[in-house]
Amino acid sequence: MTPTLALAGEPLPLVGHARAYVCGITPYDTTHLGHASTFVWADVATRVLRRTGVSVEVCRNVTDVDDVLDAAAERAGSRFDSFAAVGQFRFDRDMAALGVRPPAHEPRAHNHVDDTVRLAAGLLARGVAYERDGEVLLRASAVGITDVPDDASSQVPPSARADDPADPTIWRPAQPGEAAWPSPWGDGRPGWHAECAAMALSVLGPSVDLHVGGADLRHPHHTGMAAMAEAMTGVRPFARARLHVGTVRVDGAKMAKSAGNLVLVSDLLESWPAAAVRLLVLDRPWAQAWDVSPDDVAAAADRLERLFSAAGRHVDGEAAADAVLAALLDDLDVPAALALAESEGGEAARLALSVLGLT
């Protein structure tokens, strides 16, 4: 029997191949631990799937058409695309150091503006979107966006042109000085959810097996993105499974530049092995929000040493190794897998270190 990954109690049966869409960065700043957590967990999910014999095609986008990025580029006296390229270089460097494997596809939003225009036109033609003064919006009530999760984020303020505050923007007019692209509704820019939907549809097709992002993207971003994709293609669900990775906090506050509480990956890597930083992220349930403190990295480094010591023990551990893999297939239960690896040692520890990308 082929082993199957289950997430949040739901099995994800696969035959040979899986498609994963990972919501990537807006490259306007250096990578902090909150960013890294999402991408390390995405990497582990794909490693576990590959361990079962499934090939995984990963698409991780780059949101380089973004108001915040534009503002940062203007302050730096740079074009938005040049500024984004520098941020992307720093991000790639940090991901490589943490052992996050490069995705097969890395679409950039500015290369998919025409696809977003086609998405907007298609949704208008299907009667689930409307245009107001050069802005195209998705009618939330027409696509089933009715229930807002209790943990919904408010990253995107409602448009003043919207018939309903819940209606997300697909395309909007450009403001003076903004980069803009032509469309049937005038020069403008993609909406955030729409550009992600357009990239996913263009690269991976009408649906994905796994959709990964931070917990703060659950709503409205992933809700809006999925609603647009489903309304355009008629294929439901857009994502068979979702991995919404828990928020990283400092003293109870979400890690964010605006809060002034960033823990930068590059700073951690100056003092600690990359595998210890990776283990710091992984040694907990993936959906759990958590607080990071200075002592946590030292504790992760200590545990890493114990795991390597356990891996060096000569024991007959085939059954224990199978149990480690079973724990990882059961909702990516890294704490259970690590406990088995450390107690049983030998092949169980070596498998855990390998699959979790700690070697």
Side-chain angles (χ1 to χ4, degrees):
M1 181 176 177
T2 303
T4 299
L5 174 65
L7 292 172
E10 294 295 327
L12 181 62
L14 295 161
V15 179
H17 186 72
R19 296 149 303 149
Y21 186 86
V22 182
C23 274
I25 61 159
T26 303
Y28 71 92
D29 205 355
T30 48
T31 312
H32 61 70
L33 196 62
H35 294 144
S37 179
T38 293
F39 305 119
V40 168
W41 274 110
D43 185 62
V44 165
T46 60
R47 286 171 181 263
V48 171
L49 287 172
R50 288 176 178 131
R51 185 73 186 190
T52 68
V54 173
S55 66
V56 187
E57 183 180 4
V58 179
C59 174
R60 187 180 70 210
N61 74 292
V62 179
T63 305
D64 62 359
V65 178
D66 179 88
D67 299 349
V68 175
L69 185 148
D70 281 3
E74 184 176 358
R75 289 193 299 271
S78 176
R79 280 177 50 92
F80 81 93
D81 48 358
S82 300
F83 188 82
V86 174
Q88 182 68 27
F89 169 79
R90 292 171 177 158
F91 171 78
D92 289 342
R93 179 188 59 197
D94 289 340
M95 291 301 100
L98 290 175
V100 174
R101 293 173 174 172
H105 310 284
E106 201 165 27
R108 287 160 172 77
H110 81 271
N111 291 327
H112 289 267
V113 173
D114 288 347
D115 293 323
T116 311
V117 171
R118 283 189 280 270
L119 175 64
L123 293 171
L124 283 167
R126 282 158 177 72
V128 295
Y130 59 94
E131 186 263 337
R132 297 284 184 272
D133 300 324
E135 182 167 353
V136 180
L137 301 108
L138 184 72
R139 197 175 296 283
S141 61
V143 295
I145 301 178
T146 53
D147 297 325
V148 177
D150 292 337
D151 59 352
S153 167
S154 57
Q155 306 125 320
V156 184
S159 169
R161 301 182 183 91
D163 290 356
D164 185 310
D167 294 349
T169 297
I170 306 168
W171 183 265
R172 69 164 178 82
Q175 300 298 317
E178 286 185 326
W181 291 264
S183 82
W185 317 284
D187 289 355
R189 295 160 61 85
W192 179 30
H193 318 324
E195 63 188 4
C196 245
M199 286 185 278
L201 292 171
S202 299
V203 175
L204 294 179
S207 67
V208 299
D209 297 294
L210 181 62
H211 190 182
V212 185
D216 58 335
L217 300 184
R218 185 191 311 270
H219 183 89
H221 185 48
H222 287 177
T223 302
M225 177 185 170
M228 291 176 191
E230 290 169 1
M232 181 69 181
T233 66
V235 176
R236 295 178 174 83
F238 166 69
R240 296 176 59 216
R242 288 185 168 86
L243 193 72
H244 287 127
V245 178
T247 301
V248 182
R249 304 175 303 208
V250 177
D251 296 327
K254 177 189 172 185
M255 191 175 294
K257 185 174 183 179
S258 57
N261 63 356
L262 298 185
V263 177
L264 300 183
V265 169
S266 56
D267 289 345
L268 291 172
L269 293 176
E270 287 181 2
S271 304
W272 300 99
V277 178
R278 188 175 170 106
L279 184 57
L280 166 69
V281 166
L282 293 174
D283 195 1
R284 65 196 75 253
W286 57 265
Q288 176 182 293
W290 56 285
D291 282 79
V292 63
S293 71
D295 294 337
D296 292 340
V297 198
D302 288 344
R303 183 159 210 195
L304 186 64
E305 286 296 322
R306 297 198 303 271
L307 287 165
F308 276 112
S309 295
R313 296 206 301 264
H314 296 286
V315 294
D316 181 11
E318 184 176 344
D322 290 343
V324 166
L325 182 58
L328 293 173
L329 288 167
D330 184 9
D331 206 21
L332 299 177
D333 192 346
V334 172
L338 291 176
L340 280 165
E342 196 171 336
S343 64
E344 299 297 328
E347 182 58 27
R350 291 191 290 273
L351 183 142
L353 289 166
S354 173
V355 176
L356 296 177
L358 299 172
T359 55

